[in-house]
Amino acid sequence: MGGITSTGLFSGIDSASLIEQLLAVEARPRTLAQARIAQLQTQQAAYLDINSRLSAFASSAAAFRTGNVFDTKTAASSDDSVLGATASTGAQEGSYSFLVDRLVSTRQLLSKGFSDLNTGAFGASEFRFEDRNARLDRDAELSELNGGAGVQRGTIRITDRDGNTADVDLSRAGTVNEVLDAINDTAGLNISATVVDNAIYLNDSSTGAGSISVTNLDDNTTAEDLGLATDTDGGTAAVLEGSQIWSVTASTALDQLNDGRGVGLTDLTGSGAADLVFDIGGEIINVNLGQLQIDDDGDDETPPVDVPRVTTLGGAIDRINQAIADKAAEDGATFDGQVEARLAADGLSIEVVDLSGARDIAVTSGTRSTAARDLGLDGDGTGGTLAGSRLIAGLNSTLLSSLGGRDGLTLSGTLDFTTSDGILSSVDVSNLTSVSELVQAVNTGTGGRVVASLNETGTGLQFTDTTEDSAATFSVAGAAASQLSLGASSDGVIDSGNLQKAYIGEGSLLANLNAGKGLGTGTIEFVTSTGERFEINITENDRTIGDIINKIEVAGDSRGIDAQINANGDGIDIIDNAGGSLAISIADTSGNVASLLGLEGEFDAAETGPTTVTGSFERVVTFDADDTLEDAVRKINEAGVQATATIINDGSNANPYRISIVSRESGKDGRFVFDSGGFDLGLQSLDEGNDARVFFGSSDPAKAVLLTSSSNTLDEAIQGVTIDLKQASDDVINLTVTKTTAEVESTVEGFVDAFNELIDRIDFQTRFISETEERGPLIGDSTSQLLRGRVFAAIQGTAQDIDGRYQRLSDVGIRIGDGGRLTFDRDQFRDALSEDPDAVEALLAEREVTDVDTTIELEGGVTVSNPDGGEVFGALGLPALIEQLAEGYTDSIDGLFTIRSNAIDTQIESQEGRIDSINLRLEQRRSVLQGQFLAMEQAIASLQTQQASLGQIQSIG
């Protein structure tokens, strides 16, 4: 069966073809409209092309002022293999000298060898990793001594009692221990150097009749600055006792007090809010050390002045004295001018004194503040004086009050040592304040029979019996012994274990935590045991641990949540008093503050009583009884502790497998504390971890400035210059920072190329090639031709209101060359830049713009439009003039190209409307024609039927 066709069954006419032919004739206007749309779209694309090139040209012009190309600097090193550098636009031009003394190194420990890797049990139960601040010692920077005045480095000459003389070069020393090591390593002297409390002592082991003397060589004050400058010790004493070089001053930062725990402050203000509450003879005075708002003039219309939080000891003393003066002025108190806070004569504390001697003085901390305790003023003073407690430990030491965790330790009574030879030595420790004093007291008080020192981890004390009678027991008793967890030993050594030095307090700076990287910012979500949720947001304005605690307490107060320093003084406790039974959750929703504080996770809630979540900077890695060496290393690395572990195969036959433990952080900040829990790892220290050290400004280290860094990069040594240290060298490296023309020249080249590309595209879009009669879509277009002429005129014109010798681009080597293309004469440009750089910069980068109000307010509050409002231009370089010209064409609202494109859109819409109308008419015409052909077929069919009937009648007749 054949398919259906458009051929008439009765007429045999192909009506569909005839209809299409008829409609095609009537559709000629639609074809013309479609062709017009195509033409308009081509023109619109051409405008878009030119607009894009013009925008690029404007951007290349703006680059002269926005890219700071005239301020571009380059840093050239005399030896890139030792020191490299890059300079930003803000770098100061000049020549600088550096002596790279050492590169940064990283703390690394290596264990003894083990025979088995992954089958037998490793044997350890737990490892503990902790911040270096957990140690009971430190190595003070020389810059910290003498109240922050530091030490001038140089060479000193030491003479012992036998008359032996040696010169000790301290020109490269940066810390107290480096001074001690340099003296103790000097050959030919009977001298050993130690630290005693706040001074350096020189001990002479000879029996000579002379005296110990220390003098300076060359033009320096090193001996005086170290407290050792003397020509005699007053006789033949075996010890030269240096003068005090470690103290607090008014400029001492609060965060340096209390072994770095600082002073806990609050920014709370208002009635009753205070950091310190003084009771002076019954007069109550509140002292705020946090941020204040002070209304100096009493004028309600003038906003109060923001006074920042106190950051120095002198600032705290000033606030106290100001509050006392304000109280006297307000109430007419009788102590006006008679009571003052001041630094104590010992240089280690502050005191509050009533000069009349008549009033008792008491101080307590205010709400959410620990300032009284942290400033050593928490207590009572009678007879007109409140003497504060010690604020800093002995040199390189730790306060005894920092031991025992958050609540501190106050030793009382004696340490009663019974050495293995049966002799009892009692040492009174009740008035001691620092670990170094305790060590000195034991070593002196026992006559050397017992040697006190730090234990292996540096977190506790070790006492060694030197009488060497291994058959008897060595023991220590007394009230202080139990406080220090001391007892008896059969091997001649008594170890206190970890004495839990508190190194986190309310005043601890967040920036100093996490190996000096800080905690960053972020949001912490808390879910209480009753299921209630709340968040706190840690911002850049939060400076201390106390700020975080305060935010938790303020937000959690109504929800049964408290926060405090934990018992060990190494983190934060979160206490849930809500009494629910749900799991407590603490999570970082942004940042990782909770994680770094060791608080993140879900914790079981007690059904009754409070539940405490303890965050700590101490990290513990626990091992199962069947864990292998591989398991142990994996667990260390998964625990996120301060170090990473790797198994090393040294190739030996017996015990080839060693554990290498390397700090995650380089330099001194990465000197983690490691405690193996008594498991014998046979550790040796391959590297303690040292900061990079560079001497800046002189070829003589004694005269240079000492710079240190926890990486091999110096970012702040010279403003705007990043310095990369590559290797140590005894040679001075000269670094020269100069302006460079490379960026300016590159910008000029980009400007020239952008101009030529713009002109090329205009010429292409408006082209007419007579040989082929090829025409561009914008041939004869006045908008494009006008733009071309205006751009050429601008390039060859003069700047607007520019002072200087260069007024045209051609003056500096930028001119129209052959073929109407812009060219760049690099030599002429460099000459111009060399002769008058300011004039070149003004020609290419000047752009003065003033914003004038677009409205004018008349009398009576009537506002009218200002016809002269908006941007008012003053001096304009040529690129700035080109920017203005381009904006007139490219502006997205009223630019000429925008207007032209919108007009084309309107024409296209008109043609599309016309096409829709034609299509509708053609469809209607199609329906008419189809009806007519159908009627014709029906008529033919009818006629054929009639004809057939007539034929039948005719055949009958």
Side-chain angles (χ1 to χ4, degrees):
M1 181 177 180
I4 299 174
T5 68
S6 59
T7 301
L9 294 176
F10 302 102
S11 67
I13 299 173
D14 186 354
S15 60
S17 297
L18 286 175
I19 291 173
E20 291 301 326
Q21 291 176 35
L22 292 170
L23 291 178
V25 173
E26 295 188 36
R28 288 176 182 173
R30 183 179 65 182
T31 302
L32 294 176
Q34 291 171 335
R36 180 56 177 159
I37 289 176
Q39 181 186 28
L40 290 171
Q41 289 174 334
T42 302
Q43 290 177 349
Q44 194 172 49
Y47 279 127
L48 180 61
D49 179 30
I50 295 175
N51 185 79
S52 175
R53 305 292 177 168
L54 181 57
S55 295
F57 183 42
S59 296
S60 71
F64 287 106
R65 61 180 179 84
T66 60
N68 297 317
V69 295
F70 287 94
D71 294 325
T72 303
K73 309 293 195 314
T74 184
S77 170
S78 60
D79 190 344
D80 282 326
S81 67
V82 175
L83 181 149
T86 55
S88 67
T89 57
Q92 183 64 43
E93 295 177 70
S95 182
Y96 309 92
S97 61
F98 295 87
L99 185 63
V100 183
D101 187 58
R102 71 183 180 207
L103 298 183
V104 74
S105 64
T106 303
R107 176 161 169 74
Q108 181 175 5
L109 306 176
L110 187 65
S111 77
K112 67 180 182 180
F114 292 88
S115 61
D116 185 61
L117 179 64
N118 52 22
T119 55
F122 176 52
S125 58
E126 68 175 28
F127 290 164
R128 292 178 178 266
F129 295 82
E130 197 161 6
D131 188 278
R132 69 185 179 101
N133 290 315
R135 289 184 60 92
L136 305 189
D137 61 349
R138 64 190 300 267
D139 189 6
E141 304 286 341
L142 296 185
S143 59
E144 298 177 279
L145 305 184
N146 301 306
V151 172
Q152 183 185 37
R153 300 183 311 280
T155 301
I156 59 175
R157 176 166 291 170
I158 302 178
T159 302
D160 65 18
R161 292 191 299 166
D162 279 346
N164 300 312
T165 297
D167 296 339
V168 182
D169 184 3
L170 301 176
S171 61
R172 298 189 181 216
T175 68
V176 169
N177 282 343
E178 288 175 348
V179 170
L180 301 182
D181 290 343
I183 295 174
N184 293 332
D185 292 342
T186 300
L189 289 177
N190 299 307
I191 296 292
S192 62
T194 59
V195 166
V196 177
D197 201 15
N198 306 306
I200 296 176
Y201 280 27
L202 300 184
N203 304 282
D204 192 328
S205 61
S206 67
T207 57
S211 60
I212 306 171
S213 69
V214 183
T215 57
N216 294 307
L217 290 186
D218 303 323
D219 184 20
N220 63 62
T221 59
T222 308
E224 290 88 348
D225 295 342
L226 291 173
L228 297 174
T230 179
D231 292 321
T232 177
D233 61 349
T236 58
V239 179
L240 189 158
E241 298 180 1
S243 60
Q244 180 172 330
I245 57 176
W246 183 244
S247 62
V248 294
T249 67
S251 61
T252 299
L254 294 184
D255 61 81
Q256 294 179 356
L257 305 181
N258 302 305
D259 295 329
R261 298 194 307 279
V263 177
L265 306 178
T266 176
D267 291 329
L268 294 176
T269 57
S271 177
D275 287 297
L276 302 169
V277 180
F278 280 75
D279 183 342
I280 303 177
E283 292 283 352
I284 304 301
I285 302 173
N286 290 334
V287 181
N288 291 292
L289 303 179
Q291 183 170 326
L292 298 176
Q293 288 188 331
I294 298 178
D295 190 353
D296 288 335
D297 55 13
D299 184 359
D300 292 338
E301 295 182 0
T302 304
V305 178
D306 284 329
V307 179
R309 179 182 293 192
V310 166
T311 58
T312 65
L313 193 55
I317 291 173
D318 290 344
R319 284 273 184 98
I320 294 170
N321 289 331
Q322 185 62 53
I324 293 173
D326 290 344
K327 180 67 173 179
E330 176 186 345
D331 296 344
T334 58
F335 54 76
D336 183 20
Q338 296 180 332
V339 179
E340 68 174 6
R342 64 192 183 189
L343 289 173
D346 62 7
L348 302 172
S349 60
I350 58 178
E351 60 185 10
V352 184
V353 179
D354 177 6
L355 301 180
S356 71
R359 283 169 287 265
D360 293 339
I361 302 171
V363 183
T364 57
S365 294
T367 304
R368 293 199 178 100
S369 174
T370 57
R373 180 199 68 192
D374 298 338
L375 288 172
L377 296 175
D378 192 7
D380 301 325
T382 58
T385 299
L386 173 61
S389 58
R390 187 166 181 162
L391 298 174
I392 58 172
L395 190 58
N396 282 7
S397 188
T398 294
L399 291 168
L400 289 177
S401 59
S402 294
L403 305 185
R406 173 191 62 214
D407 298 329
L409 181 66
T410 302
L411 293 183
S412 59
T414 60
L415 288 174
D416 301 321
F417 293 95
T418 302
T419 49
S420 56
D421 59 3
I423 295 179
L424 173 66
S425 300
S426 292
V427 180
D428 185 2
V429 298
S430 56
N431 293 317
L432 303 182
T433 58
S434 71
V435 171
S436 60
E437 286 182 326
L438 175 60
V439 169
Q440 180 71 16
V442 171
N443 291 339
T444 302
T446 61
R449 304 173 65 78
V450 177
V451 173
S453 62
L454 296 187
N455 62 14
E456 183 179 7
T457 63
T459 60
L461 293 172
Q462 176 177 290
F463 300 91
T464 303
D465 183 352
T466 63
T467 60
E468 299 180 351
D469 186 349
S470 59
T473 299
F474 169 44
S475 65
V476 57
S482 60
Q483 291 177 300
L484 294 172
S485 302
L486 304 176
S489 169
S490 60
D491 63 359
V493 178
I494 298 174
D495 193 326
S496 69
N498 191 335
L499 289 175
Q500 294 300 340
K501 173 189 172 184
Y503 56 88
I504 298 294
E506 286 84 351
S508 296
L509 289 182
L510 300 181
N512 293 340
L513 305 180
N514 189 27
K517 295 185 299 184
L519 302 182
T521 60
T523 301
I524 306 174
E525 181 188 61
F526 296 81
V527 181
T528 72
S529 60
T530 59
E532 190 168 0
R533 297 174 181 268
F534 69 94
E535 290 184 340
I536 65 166
N537 187 28
I538 307 303
T539 71
E540 294 179 351
N541 294 326
D542 297 309
R543 298 181 62 251
T544 67
I545 282 287
D547 291 335
I548 294 180
I549 290 176
N550 283 339
K551 282 194 170 181
I552 296 172
E553 290 193 323
V554 168
D557 184 53
S558 62
R559 300 172 172 94
I561 296 294
D562 290 327
Q564 64 181 15
I565 300 297
N566 69 20
N568 285 343
D570 60 9
I572 295 177
D573 275 347
I574 305 298
I575 306 166
D576 186 312
N577 293 295
S581 59
L582 301 176
I584 300 165
S585 171
I586 303 174
D588 288 307
T589 56
S590 67
N592 57 351
V593 177
S595 174
L596 292 173
L597 288 171
L599 292 171
E600 189 171 37
E602 283 197 358
F603 309 90
D604 290 337
E607 293 187 6
T608 58
T611 294
T612 299
V613 176
T614 297
S616 171
F617 282 95
E618 181 182 47
R619 300 289 189 263
V620 181
V621 184
T622 58
F623 306 112
D624 297 328
D626 58 350
D627 278 343
T628 65
L629 185 64
E630 276 189 343
D631 293 331
V633 168
R634 175 180 52 79
K635 285 188 173 182
I636 292 172
N637 293 329
E638 289 176 350
V641 299
Q642 291 89 335
T644 60
T646 306
I647 296 175
I648 305 296
N649 188 336
D650 65 12
S652 61
N653 292 325
N655 300 300
Y657 303 111
R658 298 170 179 259
I659 303 177
S660 171
I661 304 175
V662 182
S663 175
R664 292 182 183 272
E665 306 297 333
S666 58
K668 291 174 63 176
D669 286 334
R671 292 179 179 177
F672 62 89
V673 173
F674 174 71
D675 185 349
S676 65
F679 181 74
D680 182 17
L681 274 175
L683 286 176
Q684 57 177 310
S685 176
L686 301 184
D687 198 317
E688 282 301 311
N690 290 301
D691 287 345
R693 187 161 64 184
V694 177
F695 295 99
F696 166 69
S698 174
S699 59
D700 181 0
K703 298 178 181 179
V705 176
L706 174 60
L707 307 176
T708 60
S709 174
S710 59
S711 70
N712 286 325
T713 299
L714 301 177
D715 289 326
E716 300 178 357
I718 304 172
Q719 184 177 0
V721 179
T722 298
I723 298 170
D724 296 317
L725 309 178
K726 300 178 181 179
Q727 64 175 319
S729 174
D730 291 329
D731 297 328
V732 174
I733 307 302
N734 293 313
L735 182 66
T736 304
V737 179
T738 58
K739 276 190 175 181
T740 176
T741 65
E743 190 69 21
V744 181
E745 292 177 15
S746 176
T747 304
V748 172
E749 288 178 339
F751 177 78
V752 169
D753 291 343
F755 172 87
N756 290 331
E757 288 178 7
L758 170 62
I759 298 303
D760 287 347
R761 296 313 295 174
I762 292 176
D763 290 346
F764 176 76
Q765 300 294 359
T766 60
R767 69 191 181 280
F768 175 72
I769 302 175
S770 58
E771 293 83 357
T772 61
E773 295 189 356
E774 182 182 349
R775 298 169 183 265
L778 298 180
I779 185 172
D781 178 66
S782 60
T783 302
S784 303
Q785 293 298 336
L786 178 61
L787 170 62
R788 189 179 192 279
R790 294 181 67 182
V791 169
F792 269 101
I795 285 291
Q796 299 176 89
T798 58
Q800 174 178 305
D801 297 333
I802 293 294
D803 295 328
R805 61 195 301 180
Y806 307 127
Q807 295 293 314
R808 299 175 180 273
L809 292 180
S810 58
D811 294 338
V812 295
I814 306 171
R815 59 174 56 86
I816 300 298
D818 295 339
R821 297 183 66 78
L822 196 60
T823 61
F824 177 36
D825 187 332
R826 194 181 300 273
D827 291 335
Q828 182 182 351
F829 183 80
R830 288 177 177 175
D831 290 342
L833 199 59
S834 176
E835 292 174 6
D836 196 341
D838 291 339
V840 174
E841 183 173 357
L843 175 67
L844 297 179
E846 191 70 42
R847 186 175 184 265
E848 292 181 359
V849 182
T850 303
D851 289 325
V852 178
D853 288 339
T854 57
T855 59
I856 301 174
E857 186 173 345
L858 304 177
E859 292 184 5
V862 178
T863 301
V864 297
S865 176
N866 181 7
D868 298 321
E871 291 185 337
V872 177
F873 295 95
L876 295 174
L878 278 167
L881 288 171
I882 288 169
E883 285 185 71
Q884 279 189 285
L885 169 62
E887 187 175 1
Y889 283 84
T890 62
D891 187 274
S892 60
I893 297 175
D894 56 5
L896 289 177
F897 282 142
T898 302
I899 294 172
R900 192 72 186 92
S901 180
N902 290 341
I904 291 176
D905 282 338
T906 301
Q907 293 181 58
I908 290 174
E909 289 175 2
S910 176
Q911 294 297 327
E912 288 175 341
R914 185 183 176 196
I915 289 172
D916 290 341
S917 178
I918 293 172
N919 286 337
L920 179 60
R921 190 174 69 250
L922 289 175
E923 287 303 314
Q924 292 173 343
R925 182 60 176 157
R926 182 189 303 276
S927 296
V928 170
L929 291 174
Q930 287 176 340
Q932 290 175 341
F933 275 103
L934 178 59
M936 181 188 70
E937 285 294 323
Q938 290 174 340
I940 293 174
S942 177
L943 291 173
Q944 287 179 345
T945 301
Q946 292 177 8
Q947 185 179 27
S949 298
L950 291 173
Q952 290 176 353
I953 294 172
Q954 185 176 14
S955 64
I956 295 172

